[in-house]
Amino acid sequence: MIAPAASLRDDDGESRLLVVEGDALQVARIRDLPRWVGEGDVVVVNDAATLPASLRVESEGRAFEVRLLTVDLVTGRLRGVLFGDGDHRTRTEDRPPPPEHVSWLRFGEVVARVVHREGRLVELEASRSGDALVSAVYLHGRPVQYAHVPEPLPLWAVQTPYASRPWALEMPSAGRALSAAVLAALRSRGATVARLTHAAGLSATGDPTLDARLPLAERYEIPVETVRALEGARRVIAIGTSVVRALEDSATRHGRVASGSATATLRLSATTRRRVVDAVLTGVHEKGTTHAELLRAFVSEAVLDRALDRADALGLLGHELGDFLWVVGEERRARLARPGRAA
């Protein structure tokens, strides 16, 4: 069983990297990543900054938690997952359920009316919108966190080095690896670094039925500059599973990667015909998780199982603060969806 990383590590590129390419498995350090990148490669990052998406709320004298899924600043509409009283130190699956009947919630000066509820999923209409709403979220929220990291994480600890717009509900954690030194080394190898923004969502909800639906729909935006960078790329390399989902969802919708905003509904698995992404940098995840399932779109179950068994034997650490996998896809994608390529 892969042990989760339980604290922040300021190791300046010392996190371990397991390279999965064909039948070969190699062990390196994350600072060595540029060795596997070359001229003509396009490395795509998710530049979403991480919101403090865990809100301690109260209603009629009862305290509980909402973990946000979406925030619409224009309308003041929020979607989230409700948890009973407690905090991240209790395992998500052991958290008590929220109250059955809740008509409104309060955090700070914001009152949010419940407009729809389906089990733990809730839609809210906040009494504030725009800057006032986002200020209240930042003032009263904290990062979504799980029991394997017992000490509360500050917001800065869940940001990537290139974080931009505050869209992510959980950290796009593969991006932790790309320090300024690693980014410079990638460019010196002839690679282009491009970006998109994807609202990376929750990893767990505490409800097995809802967890089986993860990942839920997540918005993304792909700039024109990124689409242009993909034209004629030797390989497309995704930094994180959120980048894979955004690019492959766009290609599935349009027959090619297209610029603009959309909501990703694609769930990648062993049956997915990859159209765009050739390799992915990701964290180390347990077999059976949605992140590990996505990797089966790149390599066979046998190869992935062997890689995760090796990671376990080597003591690589898992989850968002852990070590990394570099997975090069087997040649079974549908080659049709990069810009300029005919379907």
Side-chain angles (χ1 to χ4, degrees), residues 232-300:
R234 183 176 78 100
R235 292 188 306 172
V236 176
I237 296 163
I239 304 300
T241 56
S242 61
V243 173
V244 178
R245 194 182 192 204
L247 291 176
E248 296 292 345
D249 185 89
S250 179
T252 299
R253 290 172 182 273
H254 304 289
R256 59 191 291 275
V257 178
S259 62
S261 301
T263 299
T265 57
L266 180 67
R267 297 182 64 186
L268 285 89
S269 68
T271 61
T272 302
R273 299 169 65 238
R274 278 182 296 113
R275 300 166 182 261
V276 184
V277 181
D278 297 282
V280 58
L281 179 74
T282 184
V284 182
H285 302 282
E286 286 283 349
K287 297 176 186 179
T289 62
T290 56
H291 291 84
E293 180 69 12
L294 180 148
L295 296 179
R296 295 179 62 197
F298 287 83
V299 294
S300 68

Side-chain angles (χ1 to χ4, degrees), residues 58-117:
E58 64 89 17
S59 179
E60 299 177 352
R62 297 168 296 181
F64 41 104
E65 178 188 8
V66 175
R67 295 181 184 175
L68 296 177
L69 293 169
T70 60
V71 180
D72 187 327
L73 296 179
V74 176
T75 64
R77 285 291 184 109
L78 309 173
R79 290 181 66 244
V81 178
L82 294 175
F83 294 83
D85 197 17
D87 61 24
H88 75 276
R89 294 177 180 85
T90 300
R91 292 192 314 161
T92 304
E93 57 268 35
D94 295 333
R95 287 284 295 275
E100 289 188 13
H101 303 290
V102 178
S103 58
W104 59 270
L105 312 171
R106 181 190 297 276
F107 55 98
E109 299 301 314
V110 175
V111 176
R113 182 173 62 90
V114 176
V115 295
H116 181 72
R117 181 172 172 184

Side-chain angles (χ1 to χ4, degrees), residues 9 17 71 75 80 84 113 147 150 166 170 196 215 222 225 233 251 258 270 273 275 290 298 307 309-310 326 328:
R9 296 184 294 166
L17 175 69
V71 180
T75 64
R113 182 173 62 90
E170 290 187 13
L196 56 79
I222 302 175
E225 294 80 5
R273 299 169 65 238
R275 300 166 182 261
T290 56
F298 287 83
D309 288 343
R310 181 73 183 281
W326 168 258
V328 178

Side-chain angles (χ1 to χ4, degrees), residues 117-338:
R117 181 172 172 184
E118 178 188 346
R120 292 195 177 200
L121 282 176
V122 65
E123 294 185 19
L124 305 167
E125 186 176 75
S127 60
R128 297 188 179 185
S129 59
D131 291 346
L133 176 58
V134 81
S135 294
V137 170
Y138 272 88
L139 181 62
H140 299 285
R142 52 180 319 280
V144 171
Q145 198 172 332
Y146 297 94
H148 58 266
V149 183
E151 292 301 316
L153 291 172
L155 188 59
W156 62 261
V158 293
Q159 309 297 342
T160 62
Y162 41 77
S164 179
R165 289 180 290 177
W167 278 31
L169 292 316
E170 290 187 13
M171 174 174 54
S173 54
R176 288 189 303 110
L178 269 65
S179 64
V182 172
L183 286 168
L186 290 171
R187 293 188 174 103
S188 72
R189 296 275 296 176
T192 298
V193 179
R195 66 179 181 87
L196 56 79
T197 310
H198 181 283
L202 300 182
S203 300
T205 68
D207 179 343
T209 302
L210 187 53
D211 282 351
R213 294 165 54 185
L214 296 177
L216 300 174
E218 297 162 342
R219 64 175 176 156
Y220 64 88
E221 184 172 289
I222 302 175
V224 171
E225 294 80 5
T226 295
V227 174
R228 289 173 180 161
L230 296 177
E231 295 178 0
R234 183 176 78 100
R235 292 188 306 172
V236 176
I237 296 163
I239 304 300
T241 56
S242 61
V243 173
V244 178
R245 194 182 192 204
L247 291 176
E248 296 292 345
D249 185 89
S250 179
T252 299
R253 290 172 182 273
H254 304 289
R256 59 191 291 275
V257 178
S259 62
S261 301
T263 299
T265 57
L266 180 67
R267 297 182 64 186
L268 285 89
S269 68
T271 61
T272 302
R273 299 169 65 238
R274 278 182 296 113
R275 300 166 182 261
V276 184
V277 181
D278 297 282
V280 58
L281 179 74
T282 184
V284 182
H285 302 282
E286 286 283 349
K287 297 176 186 179
T289 62
T290 56
H291 291 84
E293 180 69 12
L294 180 148
L295 296 179
R296 295 179 62 197
F298 287 83
V299 294
S300 68
E301 185 173 3
V303 169
L304 181 59
D305 284 352
R306 188 160 60 88
L308 293 177
D309 288 343
R310 181 73 183 281
D312 189 12
L314 291 168
L316 267 65
L317 298 177
H319 291 278
E320 70 278 13
L321 302 177
D323 295 305
F324 296 92
L325 296 179
W326 168 258
V327 181
V328 178
E330 296 168 351
E331 292 300 316
R332 53 191 176 93
R333 66 188 184 278
R335 294 177 174 273
L336 59 83
R338 290 182 193 159

